[in-house]
Amino acid sequence: MVKVSFNNVLAHKDPKKDEETSETPSLLENRDPEVAVPVRHRSQAWCWCMCLGLGLMLAGIVVGGAYLYRYFVFQEGEVFFCGVDYREEDYMPRYRTLKENIRILPDSDVELISVPVPEFADGDPADIVHDFHIRLTAYLDLVLNKCYVIPLNTSVVMPPRNFLELIINIKAGTYLPQSYLIHEQMIVTDRIENVDQLGFFISRLCRGKDTFKLQRREFPDGIQKREAAECHKIRHFENNFVVETTICEQ
């Protein structure tokens, strides 16, 4: 009796091939994904560079726009140094120049003006407040160190927003004023003991100073008489003309 046996080829595995097959997935699993997909990495880098460039461009536009806005548009609290050319009399061919430091607070309806020492000894240096909210004007004569308060003259002093527009035009060069001089004369009257009743800006200007009321002196037909009384002059502008304010003791 012959016994026939068959070797199970399918059941027999080559250990060498098994080792190679088992190592293949581990190599794939340990492979660096950035090395495996280089095209995707370059795409992401290009996208980030484009976003960064757009961001820098937008930042430049914003910064440039803010600079231009600050240059051409007056910001509240900013001080302007302005000048105006004017004639003392119509027959005088030569112009004089008056310079001022001007600060306008449109939300508070206030104009703050500082007149430096004049070039031609035309008057005293002074600090001036025009408060449209309480309708008062205050002059601080820096030579006398005295403060003078009078009702606001709206026919001479331009409202803050209109004055602001005039200054912007002067600064931009669209309006180069060649103006004229008008005169007004004030008489010192009563002493003001309590400056706190004069509003925040005027009380801050006049606190600690001798403060007096002024009364405007009117002359018929525009004729102004020369007085022997002690007088001081302040030349200033809050309009498209220059004003010479003469303050005289009684």
Side-chain angles (χ1 to χ4, degrees):
M1 185 175 184
V2 180
K3 184 178 179 181
V4 180
S5 62
F6 297 92
N7 291 329
N8 191 352
V9 179
L10 298 176
H12 178 74
K13 296 182 178 179
D14 189 354
K16 191 173 183 178
K17 290 183 179 180
D18 290 345
E19 182 178 356
E20 291 177 358
T21 307
S22 62
E23 289 178 358
T24 301
S26 63
L27 291 174
L28 291 174
E29 290 174 1
N30 295 330
R31 187 174 296 174
D32 190 350
E34 294 183 356
V35 176
V37 195
V39 176
R40 184 179 178 184
H41 174 73
R42 287 197 296 269
S43 176
Q44 289 178 348
W46 181 84
C47 181
W48 278 109
C49 289
M50 184 179 68
C51 292
L52 181 60
L54 289 174
L56 292 175
M57 185 183 300
L58 290 174
I61 292 173
V62 170
V63 172
Y67 175 80
L68 290 175
Y69 181 81
R70 286 186 57 83
Y71 184 80
F72 288 107
V73 180
F74 185 84
Q75 299 293 308
E76 179 161 300
E78 186 178 354
V79 178
F80 276 78
F81 184 69
C82 297
V84 59
D85 295 332
Y86 68 97
R87 285 179 176 173
E88 287 193 87
E89 304 292 345
D90 292 338
Y91 58 84
M92 294 182 64
R94 184 179 178 183
Y95 283 94
R96 288 193 173 185
T97 301
L98 176 66
K99 298 177 181 179
E100 291 181 347
N101 292 305
I102 302 170
R103 184 182 177 198
I104 298 180
L105 308 176
D107 293 339
S108 301
D109 259 357
V110 171
E111 299 169 5
L112 309 175
I113 297 171
S114 178
V115 182
V117 177
E119 296 179 358
F120 300 99
D122 305 303
D124 293 348
D127 290 334
I128 304 170
V129 174
H130 300 295
D131 193 330
F132 278 74
H133 181 66
I134 60 174
R135 298 284 178 174
L136 289 177
T137 291
Y139 302 92
L140 174 60
D141 190 309
L142 297 177
V143 173
L144 303 176
N145 199 30
K146 292 181 179 180
C147 214
Y148 303 96
V149 180
I150 192 170
L152 179 65
N153 185 359
T154 55
S155 64
V156 171
V157 182
M158 190 177 286
R161 296 188 186 278
N162 300 82
F163 194 29
L164 171 60
E165 184 178 356
L166 176 65
I167 293 174
I168 292 174
N169 291 333
I170 294 174
K171 186 177 178 67
T174 58
Y175 178 73
L176 299 175
Q178 290 184 342
S179 190
Y180 55 94
L181 178 69
I182 68 170
H183 301 267
E184 62 178 6
Q185 191 172 109
M186 314 293 187
I187 300 298
V188 178
T189 59
D190 302 328
R191 184 185 184 95
I192 300 175
E193 300 294 342
N194 182 16
V195 297
D196 293 334
Q197 61 184 341
L198 303 176
F200 172 77
F201 294 98
I202 293 180
S203 64
R204 184 176 63 177
L205 178 72
C206 298
R207 185 170 289 113
K209 314 289 192 307
D210 293 335
T211 305
F212 302 89
K213 292 181 181 180
L214 291 178
Q215 181 179 347
R216 187 169 285 102
R217 175 178 287 182
E218 302 292 345
F219 296 98
D221 300 326
I223 299 175
Q224 298 196 31
K225 298 179 181 179
R226 297 186 178 272
E227 298 283 344
E230 182 181 358
C231 299
H232 290 262
K233 297 178 181 179
I234 300 172
R235 290 191 177 182
H236 51 97
F237 73 93
E238 310 81 0
N239 211 312
N240 54 9
F241 51 83
V242 176
V243 181
E244 181 182 83
T245 300
T246 303
I247 300 174
C248 297
E249 301 285 345
Q250 282 186 334

